[in-house]
Amino acid sequence: MVQHTGALAAGQLLVATQPGRGGYFDRSVVLILEHNLEATVGVCLNLPTDTPVADVVAPFADKASVPAVIFEGGPVNNEIAVTLGEPATPESPPPGWQQIVGDIGVVDMSFPPELIDTSFAQLRVFVGLASWAPGQLEAELIRGSWFRSHARPEDVFGDPEGIWRRVLRRMGGGAGRWSTWSDDPTLN
């Protein structure tokens, strides 16, 4: 079941193709946060660091989804932090939360700490961004460097281990076959 995602847009996942070539985006899954005429910006969902959220953004630590560490969002602007959150009550999201897709949105980093527990079901913090200049991502898509899929909350807030394979399997078809890729080239 290959997904038809339409035009590039915020809320889509970019799933790296051609595993084993190395490089920053090898086997990565990127959530697009913004796509416009100036740029496309996203965060890598499967690059956890060893730094606990409590060490960097203590007020967000209790709602940080497991693993409760900072994630490497991408190789660009490592001084930028982005927090994604799922509202505790989706029908009445808190102020300071900007929806990306469904129950996934960006949380204002200056969100009042005393309201976090009642406002969010879960949070994930990223440092750095994945970013493309105008036309760059479109060229990569034409070359076959990425598959696209719709994002789900479990993609963003779930276990990052194995997300690349899980999303490919969910996509099915030709994309799904990539999920069986082995690190041993003789088995592929």
Side-chain angles (χ1 to χ4, degrees):
M1 156 202 212
V2 173
Q3 297 180 4
H4 300 283
T5 54
L8 272 170
Q12 293 177 357
L13 296 177
L14 299 173
V15 185
T17 64
Q18 305 170 2
R21 289 187 162 185
Y24 190 89
F25 291 107
D26 189 26
R27 291 185 182 101
S28 65
V29 177
V30 176
L31 173 66
I32 298 176
L33 301 177
E34 184 174 347
H35 175 73
N36 57 44
L37 295 175
E38 286 98 44
T40 302
V41 176
V43 290
C44 293
L45 299 177
N46 55 333
L47 297 175
T49 69
D50 293 328
T51 306
V53 171
D55 289 357
V56 180
V57 196
F60 291 1
D62 288 344
K63 287 297 179 173
S65 51
V66 177
V69 296
I70 301 295
F71 278 65
E72 194 174 317
V76 178
N77 289 337
N78 288 329
E79 62 281 351
I80 300 279
V82 174
T83 299
L84 296 178
E86 179 181 13
T89 53
E91 59 280 349
S92 176
W97 179 81
Q98 180 184 358
Q99 182 182 36
I100 299 296
V101 64
D103 294 339
I104 304 164
V106 176
V107 178
D108 184 335
M109 292 296 288
S110 62
F111 196 86
E114 63 275 8
L115 300 178
I116 290 172
D117 280 345
T118 58
S119 298
F120 297 101
Q122 49 193 348
L123 300 168
R124 181 145 287 162
V125 181
F126 301 84
V127 173
L129 299 168
S131 182
W132 293 264
Q136 183 181 5
L137 180 55
E138 289 86 343
E140 290 180 16
L141 287 165
I142 289 168
R143 281 194 308 271
S145 299
W146 300 99
F147 293 113
R148 288 186 299 141
S149 181
H150 298 286
R152 297 178 178 175
E154 61 267 23
D155 300 329
V156 176
F157 305 108
D159 185 358
E161 183 70 32
I163 185 177
W164 182 77
R165 292 183 192 282
R166 284 193 310 272
V167 173
L168 288 170
R169 281 188 196 116
R170 180 175 80 216
M171 291 174 70
R177 284 193 289 279
W178 282 99
S179 72
T180 63
W181 183 271
S182 169
D183 289 333
D184 180 352
T186 63
L187 298 176
N188 291 317

